[in-house]
Amino acid sequence: MGTRDDLLDKAQPVAAAAAEHAGETERRRALAPEVVSAARASGLFRAGLPAALGGAEPSAAAVLRAAERVAEADASAGWCVSIAATSSLLGAYLPEKGGQEVFGDPDTVAAGVWAPRGKAVAVDGGVTVSGRWSFCSGVTHADWIFLGVVLDGKLVVAAIPTAELEIHDTWHTSGLRGTGSNDTSADAVFVPDHRLLSVVDGPPAGAGQLHRFPLFGFFAASISAAALGNARGAITEFVELSGAKHPSGSRRSLAERTATQSAVAEAEASLRAAREFYYRAIDDAWQSAVSDSVVPEDLRLALRLACTHAVRTSAAVTRSLYDLGGGSAIYETSPLQRRFRDAHTATAHFQVNPATFELTGRLLLGLPTETAQL
């Protein structure tokens, strides 16, 4: 499992299960069991693992294309695949003993929230962790959670078994309902030293190309992959609807209207352009990661800009198709309605919100800017 085609092949049965069970996933506010089973069997949840833990270390683009393909079928499923793949990257950042403990079981799936919402207190052999974290996507099917904490004034990430945490049923949202992104809390949970890591000190020593790729850039790209797949799915579903729907009082189908034709062409052009920018930025950063040096700031900046642009363009495309769908699109049974809600929930993620444009603008204008988490 490593090449673009290999991973896309493995994404097909996951996408098929995601499409078949999209309604159930939304109602459950978590991935349907059949989708989880297909994703586990595919290996996509663990696609970011280093070779030392059994990973094939594919290209970043190959992992993201596979997640995008799943999101074409259902955005929540694609989102969970990309988040789990991103979390599995941290296998390379853990000490060897911790990596084996977390990912040694080939069925293990991890999720994570790296924001320092908790506090760690040093004790003999490790730390105790307390706190509450929101937006824990995939927590309902994850075996381990990577959680950000503050330890002696520094950001540290702790790997904790999900069974040792409390999951709060908070994920009652407009979109991406199937991601099960509930709150999670810990109350003085012990974490040994070998399950602590840093995500701000650069790539781990001896890292391969996948793990020299910008970690926070990959995180942002994982959100964008789900958004791009969702927008592509929306176009596909609108094309099917437009051929069958006849607006009230019209003999022509929706597809036969010139206004529809122009709007769909514009949506297609916008999505292709955003996707091209996205994968070009990924490839540029990937080629730079061939060396042992840190990917330079300008390429990390371009990657984050491309990710934000992709998510926000995908939302605009989906909104335009939802508008074209008219009365047919307002019902909860309409795939376009779900696409619309999912697209506009993705835009709220902090990795791809409008603040990224401010960051980019400051750098382009030559102003002092904090870039540690680019």
Side-chain angles (χ1 to χ4, degrees):
M1 183 184 77
T3 69
R4 168 181 169 179
D5 290 340
D6 288 342
L7 289 178
L8 283 177
D9 286 345
K10 290 181 177 294
Q12 297 304 333
V14 187
E20 182 179 355
H21 297 283
E24 180 186 354
T25 287
E26 173 134 320
R27 289 190 298 273
R28 292 172 64 93
R29 292 180 295 109
L31 296 187
E34 295 84 355
V35 181
V36 174
S37 295
R40 283 183 185 271
S42 73
L44 293 181
F45 278 156
R46 296 161 56 90
L49 284 180
L53 292 172
E57 299 196 17
S59 71
V63 178
L64 295 163
R65 287 181 195 276
E68 180 190 14
R69 175 65 190 91
V70 176
E72 276 190 57
D74 176 52
S76 288
W79 183 283
C80 287
V81 164
S82 63
I83 289 296
T86 303
S87 297
S88 72
L89 291 169
L90 298 188
Y93 288 72
L94 280 165
E96 182 179 355
K97 182 178 179 180
Q100 288 295 337
E101 184 176 351
V102 175
F103 291 108
D105 183 337
D107 287 331
T108 291
V109 175
V113 178
W114 307 343
R117 302 300 185 192
K119 181 179 180 181
V121 177
V123 296
D124 187 29
V127 299
T128 57
V129 169
S130 299
R132 180 162 174 156
W133 296 261
S134 300
F135 309 115
C136 297
S137 297
V139 68
T140 53
H141 60 256
D143 305 292
W144 290 81
I145 310 293
F146 288 102
L147 297 174
V149 296
V150 176
L151 175 63
D152 296 331
K154 298 180 180 180
L155 168 62
V156 174
V157 175
I160 304 176
T162 308
E164 297 181 12
L165 301 166
E166 183 175 358
I167 300 173
H168 304 272
D169 185 16
T170 55
W171 194 243
H172 298 267
T173 57
S174 60
L176 292 172
R177 294 175 182 173
T179 61
S181 304
N182 292 294
D183 284 14
T184 299
S185 63
D187 184 10
V189 174
F190 175 72
V191 181
D193 288 330
H194 64 262
R195 285 201 261 117
L196 299 175
L197 61 96
S198 172
V199 294
V200 296
D201 293 332
Q209 192 171 357
L210 177 61
H211 301 96
R212 291 195 299 270
F213 189 87
L215 181 61
F216 285 96
F218 194 106
F219 186 11
S222 72
I223 305 305
S224 306
L228 288 165
N230 183 59
R232 172 54 59 197
I235 290 178
T236 299
E237 286 156 1
F238 178 79
V239 169
E240 294 174 357
L241 169 68
S242 65
K245 178 177 178 178
H246 287 72
S248 179
S250 175
R251 294 182 178 180
R252 293 186 301 167
S253 69
L254 184 58
E256 292 174 311
R257 290 189 163 190
T258 56
T260 302
Q261 296 156 10
S262 294
V264 169
E266 289 183 18
E268 181 69 27
S270 294
L271 185 60
R272 288 194 193 189
R275 190 173 183 272
E276 180 68 21
F277 178 25
Y278 169 76
Y279 281 111
R280 173 61 63 86
I282 289 169
D283 186 61
D284 287 344
W286 179 257
Q287 295 305 322
S288 176
V290 171
S291 68
D292 290 331
S293 61
V294 175
V295 175
E297 183 180 272
D298 63 326
L299 295 183
R300 288 183 284 130
L301 172 66
L303 177 58
R304 292 298 302 278
L305 180 61
C307 290
T308 299
H309 179 66
V311 171
R312 309 199 81 78
T313 299
S314 294
V317 165
T318 307
R319 182 175 61 249
S320 70
L321 298 170
Y322 173 80
D323 288 343
L324 286 170
S328 299
I330 68 173
Y331 293 93
E332 288 192 348
T333 54
S334 167
L336 278 178
Q337 200 242 37
R338 185 176 69 249
R339 297 290 187 183
F340 174 82
R341 290 186 284 104
D342 289 349
H344 289 82
T345 301
T347 60
H349 198 283
F350 78 97
Q351 284 281 354
V352 291
N353 66 23
T356 306
F357 291 132
E358 295 178 22
L359 172 66
T360 304
R362 289 185 63 85
L363 286 168
L364 292 173
L365 292 167
L367 299 174
T369 307
E370 173 55 54
T371 61
Q373 294 189 13
L374 263 182

